[in-house]
Amino acid sequence: MQLVFACTYMGLLNVIELILNLFTVVVLGANAIVIGLLNAIWTLVYIPSAYLASKLSDKGSVKKLLMSSVILITSSIAVLAKASSITHISIGFVTHSASIATARLAIMTALLEANDRSKWSSVNKRYVQLVALIEGALLLAISGIGFKALLDKLTLLAFITSLLGVATLLTAPKTLLPIERTLTKLEKTLHRILLPARAITALGYQSLYTPTGYYVFQRIWSMGAEVSLAPIALSLASLRISNEYLFTPLPYFLLRVLNLGIDGALAIYGSAKVIASTALSAIPIEFSGKSRAVLIASLAIRAASATMLLCLGSSPTLLSTSITLIYLTNVFIDMAIYIAFVNATAGYRTAMYTVLSEVASLIGATTSGYILASIGPLGILTAVLLLTIVMATIAQRIAFISNP
């Protein structure tokens, strides 16, 4: 029940972010550059919010973070209800950003502490899958109700969101002592301390059908070495920037370039989320983010899907299919990078991961609108493909850390 409430709350927070963007395009008439700048402001607020929240997160103060999130998201919806200019809506972006930063860190901490390290990967998959499913279902429901009808019911939306936030708070586990992450960190420390003895013992190991003692020594030593966060950081930055290039200007692209109706655009978003989540549930966790082959295949499919999205017309089926594939492959890539990070840091410093993500997103959001306005969809596609090549180049290292 705890996971259901947490995922529903996060799914609703993600939907409200899209509502803010669509409102800005449709009601306030913003262009791609303005949308990019508003999302950049969102990120600028997210970074210090995540940093401050991390102080409580590492102490396990999940409930305080969730309470802050509920207050902030209620404020964001209240601003949306009264917004009549870009200045007004920017306040809604700011409060929403702080709300999602605190909620995300609280839920990430709760999941890490409530589960054994061996289950982190599977729990993360269930969390991502359920959030996407709920988010998609909510978007389909809104497309059925009508976007304009939703704007007349923002008070009800604020009440439901607050109620879900409180339910998440009440069901969240107490994590005053970060036991699981502390034990993981201790285990990694002991592994390094005992490494010389293990390696020396391996030198005398020899059998007819097994590797040489020297090989075993070399393998143990290399696995015990400090894991560099550089490949993780570079992969994460490439993924986040390319995601901003794809998704930040997407509402403007669908509504203004392809001339889709707003409810049709919501249906495309929603169906893509639901299909991607359903497909993810059928894929074993052992497959997800566990090898270089999976990462390379995911990156290749993502690149092909981006090409379909930006260059092959305005068919709702084609658009929904390409967005679905991007969502699905993003899960595999993001999962591999995130699990590599928590393995390298013993589950600590999750705020570092979040802040690095948002710094990269800031770069992508700030420049995405200018690229679309000055070069067009081809410029966005070129940037995405180049960043995909970067991720593919270092996929082997990420896969190794994800599955040590």
Side-chain angles (χ1 to χ4, degrees), residues 13-32 34-40 42 80 86 89 92-93 96 147 244 247-252 255-256 262 269 365:
L13 290 181
N14 291 337
V15 167
I16 292 171
E17 182 180 1
L18 180 58
I19 290 172
L20 287 167
N21 279 279
L22 292 173
F23 180 89
T24 307
V25 174
V26 175
V27 179
L28 301 182
N31 60 27
V34 172
I35 290 295
L37 291 175
L38 284 173
N39 280 272
W42 188 98
L80 176 63
I86 297 299
I89 200 66
F93 273 83
H96 178 274
F147 187 73
E244 290 297 331
F247 291 116
T248 296
L250 187 57
Y252 179 85
L255 298 175
R256 293 290 182 259
I262 188 166
Y269 274 108

Side-chain angles (χ1 to χ4, degrees), residues 340-362:
F341 179 86
V342 295
N343 281 336
T345 62
Y348 279 89
R349 295 184 288 174
T350 52
M352 177 194 295
Y353 184 90
T354 304
V355 170
L356 179 58
S357 296
E358 295 309 320
V359 169
S361 295
L362 176 62

Side-chain angles (χ1 to χ4, degrees), residues 58-236:
D58 280 342
K59 294 177 181 177
S61 300
V62 169
K63 295 183 183 294
K64 291 180 181 179
L65 290 173
L66 287 171
M67 179 57 71
S68 300
S69 176
V70 170
I71 295 170
L72 287 163
I73 195 59
T74 305
S75 302
S76 180
I77 298 172
V79 170
L80 176 63
K82 301 295 183 180
S84 58
S85 67
I86 297 299
T87 302
H88 291 159
I89 200 66
S90 64
I91 300 172
F93 273 83
V94 166
T95 49
H96 178 274
S97 174
S99 173
I100 207 168
T102 51
R104 187 173 290 162
L105 276 170
I107 292 170
M108 287 169 67
T109 300
L111 290 177
L112 290 173
E113 278 302 316
N115 295 277
D116 184 82
R117 180 191 174 191
S118 62
K119 297 180 180 179
W120 282 354
S121 185
S122 59
V123 169
N124 185 60
K125 180 191 172 184
R126 289 201 302 272
Y127 168 72
V128 170
Q129 175 197 342
L130 191 53
V131 168
L133 180 63
I134 291 169
E135 190 177 340
L138 289 171
L139 289 170
L140 287 173
I142 294 171
S143 70
I145 296 170
F147 187 73
K148 292 183 179 178
L150 175 70
L151 296 182
D152 294 330
K153 297 179 174 63
L154 289 177
T155 301
L156 179 60
L157 177 63
F159 174 75
I160 293 173
T161 306
S162 300
L163 195 62
L164 280 170
V166 171
T168 304
L169 185 155
L170 293 176
T171 56
K174 294 181 179 180
T175 55
L176 297 179
L177 294 175
I179 297 173
E180 187 59 36
R181 289 175 297 160
T182 299
L183 289 176
T184 300
K185 188 174 182 180
L186 179 60
E187 177 188 342
K188 291 172 73 70
T189 301
L190 288 172
H191 177 82
R192 288 195 296 271
I193 292 172
L194 297 175
L195 183 62
R198 294 174 63 207
I200 291 169
T201 302
L203 282 175
Y205 176 77
Q206 183 66 53
S207 178
L208 183 60
Y209 299 106
T210 54
T212 65
Y214 175 74
Y215 174 84
V216 177
F217 170 87
Q218 187 181 47
R219 180 62 175 165
I220 292 174
W221 190 272
S222 66
M223 290 183 68
E226 286 289 339
V227 174
S228 171
L229 292 178
I232 302 174
L234 185 56
S235 295
L236 180 60

